[in-house]
Amino acid sequence: MPSVSRRRTHIAMVGIPAVSHVLPSLEIIRELVARGHRVTYANDPAVAELIAGTGAELVPNKSELPVADNDWPDDPIAAMGLFLDDAIRTLPRLRATYDHDPADLYLYDIGAYAARALAESQQRPVLQLSPAFVAWEGYDGEVAANLWQLPGADAYRAKFARWLADCGAVTSDVDTFSGRPANTLALITRAMQPHADRVDTDTVTFVGPCFDLRASAANWTRPATAEHVLLISLGSAYTRQPEFYRQCLRAYGDLPGWHVVLQIGKYTDPRELGDIPPNVEVHSWVPQREILEQADAFVTHAGMGGCGEGLLAGVPMIAVPQAAEQFMNADRLVELGVARRIDTPQATAETLRAALHDLVGDAAVARRSARLRADALAEGGTARAVDLIENMLSDKTIRPT
């Protein structure tokens, strides 16, 4: 899609400091800067290094969300309350910056409620960048209604409504404000969206995962002796799983023809794993996308980012979900015919090895993986997302609703 406008504008991105929420849109920010726009990015200094690489100007916006130690409450209403409290605290700080330097367009992550409130109060266009699946027709009755029956839900909704009434937002309905934006770019492939046929495409556009597909593989090189490569990664948050990693070493260590890359995150000491087989390399962090482009299979926690990277690479996956929507994502990968789900208690060396042999030896899985890769690439990714953002900037009829 050709861009309608190339004029230099001020675009503000407002995010939360969870890596899984920052990474999906970084290439969009980088491309906006490359096209000559001035981009400011309001987020916690904890993710400043990630943002710096895009060329955007960091607007420090300290968050109290428990992303550093991953200490989220089990109660979903309590977890939702943390996001609301964070919005209440951060909105005055955003105003301190943007009331005298307003953006022409506000972009925001699904957890950054304060951005939408700010944009509405300034009567500026606003666009949500969703790194996860979006609501569908019937979502309120099928999913949200169950949440609103939980203890504490009434108090949460009342607090949210009071904040909306006091903060200058135009939208007063809690469900509409938090779950039904007028303009959303879904940064996931449509294949991963539940009930995709019931998503309102007048307000949601699926652009697919927005990664840098031009990135060089120089950050990791497939060993010349490797017949097959397996990547194992539980992402950035739920990585304190030494026993799972030991089972992986038993399953895939010294497996003939296989080279294994094991990412263990920052919460696990490599010494907890015992002896490392010679065909395994262990790291706290790896260039996941670059490795997947050279890999033959992927053991993943089924976070949406990992699912997107796996589908873009066209590799079969073993999904070992750890929390939240990852269980739903894992089931969706199985439905698509490109994965096996193994829950952590059942992730023994025997089940892990059997799943790998089952997947890589199945020609139908390979065909489905190739088709889904082509579908994901056809959604347009970063270039299409930025074209749509520029088109929105040039459309004088769009207003926050």
Side-chain angles (χ1 to χ4, degrees), residues 5-88:
S5 172
R6 287 284 195 248
R7 75 179 181 87
R8 180 174 172 82
T9 55
H10 177 193
I11 300 170
M13 173 67 193
V14 183
I16 63 171
V19 172
S20 60
H21 284 244
V22 175
L23 291 180
S25 61
L26 280 184
E27 290 306 317
I28 293 174
I29 303 303
R30 193 192 317 275
E31 180 63 17
L32 286 168
V33 172
R35 293 191 186 187
H37 299 286
R38 176 191 171 213
V39 183
T40 57
Y41 199 134
N43 209 327
D44 193 286
V47 292
E49 187 175 349
L50 291 174
I51 294 168
T54 68
E57 307 166 31
L58 177 68
V59 174
N61 191 28
K62 181 67 176 175
S63 170
E64 295 185 24
L65 292 172
V67 295
D69 54 9
N70 202 34
D71 187 23
W72 295 93
D74 293 329
D75 174 35
I77 299 299
M80 293 162 62
L82 293 179
F83 286 98
L84 175 57
D85 289 343
D86 205 55
I88 293 170

Side-chain angles (χ1 to χ4, degrees), residues 155-180:
Y156 165 80
R157 290 173 64 82
K159 182 177 182 179
F160 207 140
R162 287 194 300 271
W163 178 65
L164 290 177
D166 295 339
C167 72
V170 174
T171 305
S172 59
D173 180 73
V174 171
D175 295 321
T176 300
F177 185 93
S178 61
R180 291 192 292 272

Side-chain angles (χ1 to χ4, degrees), residues 362-384:
D362 191 329
V365 169
R367 289 193 298 271
R368 286 190 289 267
S369 295
R371 186 187 71 248
L372 288 165
R373 169 182 165 86
D375 291 346
L377 290 170
E379 288 171 325
T382 303
R384 184 175 180 223

Side-chain angles (χ1 to χ4, degrees), residues 6-332:
R6 287 284 195 248
R7 75 179 181 87
R8 180 174 172 82
T9 55
H10 177 193
I11 300 170
M13 173 67 193
V14 183
I16 63 171
V19 172
S20 60
H21 284 244
V22 175
L23 291 180
S25 61
L26 280 184
E27 290 306 317
I28 293 174
I29 303 303
R30 193 192 317 275
E31 180 63 17
L32 286 168
V33 172
R35 293 191 186 187
H37 299 286
R38 176 191 171 213
V39 183
T40 57
Y41 199 134
N43 209 327
D44 193 286
V47 292
E49 187 175 349
L50 291 174
I51 294 168
T54 68
E57 307 166 31
L58 177 68
V59 174
N61 191 28
K62 181 67 176 175
S63 170
E64 295 185 24
L65 292 172
V67 295
D69 54 9
N70 202 34
D71 187 23
W72 295 93
D74 293 329
D75 174 35
I77 299 299
M80 293 162 62
L82 293 179
F83 286 98
L84 175 57
D85 289 343
D86 205 55
I88 293 170
R89 283 189 296 265
T90 59
L91 180 57
R93 294 198 290 270
L94 292 175
R95 290 196 187 284
T97 295
Y98 291 108
D99 276 352
H100 73 271
D101 184 22
D104 296 292
L105 169 67
Y106 289 92
L107 310 175
Y108 73 105
D109 177 77
I110 57 176
Y113 296 144
R116 179 171 180 176
L118 175 65
E120 290 191 2
S121 69
Q122 293 182 347
Q123 297 186 333
R124 301 281 174 154
V126 60
L127 174 65
Q128 184 184 85
L129 303 183
S130 177
F133 59 76
V134 298
W136 56 88
E137 183 181 351
Y139 177 88
D140 289 348
E142 297 166 14
V143 179
N146 295 324
L147 284 174
W148 303 143
Q149 299 302 313
L150 295 175
D154 289 344
Y156 165 80
R157 290 173 64 82
K159 182 177 182 179
F160 207 140
R162 287 194 300 271
W163 178 65
L164 290 177
D166 295 339
C167 72
V170 174
T171 305
S172 59
D173 180 73
V174 171
D175 295 321
T176 300
F177 185 93
S178 61
R180 291 192 292 272
N183 302 288
T184 297
L185 294 185
L187 312 184
I188 66 172
T189 179
R190 185 179 173 87
M192 289 300 299
Q193 169 66 41
H195 308 294
D197 59 329
R198 289 195 269 153
V199 171
D200 182 1
T201 54
D202 288 335
T203 61
V204 177
T205 302
F206 290 93
V207 295
C210 294
F211 303 120
D212 182 5
L213 300 180
R214 302 162 298 179
S216 168
N219 290 324
W220 187 85
T221 302
R222 179 177 176 136
T225 57
E227 296 178 30
H228 305 285
V229 169
L230 171 66
L231 173 62
I232 304 169
S233 170
L234 297 182
S236 59
Y238 300 95
T239 59
R240 181 73 177 98
Q241 297 287 348
E243 177 57 26
F244 170 72
Y245 302 137
R246 287 191 287 266
Q247 292 297 325
C248 287
L249 293 178
R250 287 181 52 205
Y252 308 125
D254 298 321
L255 191 63
W258 283 87
H259 181 81
V260 179
V261 181
L262 173 60
Q263 176 183 293
I264 61 174
K266 62 182 179 180
Y267 304 111
T268 300
D269 188 329
R271 291 173 295 185
E272 297 180 75
L273 306 184
D275 293 336
I276 307 299
N279 69 319
V280 179
E281 52 181 284
V282 178
H283 306 279
S284 61
W285 189 259
V286 298
Q288 183 163 288
R289 197 197 63 75
E290 288 90 336
I291 294 175
L292 283 173
E293 287 297 320
Q294 305 172 68
D296 300 283
F298 183 24
V299 177
T300 173
H301 65 307
M304 192 61 81
C307 293
E309 288 182 319
L311 290 173
L312 271 180
V315 296
M317 290 173 265
I318 299 172
V320 188
Q322 300 297 304
E325 79 286 352
Q326 294 163 17
F327 298 95
M328 183 182 293
N329 292 343
D331 287 342
R332 181 58 182 157

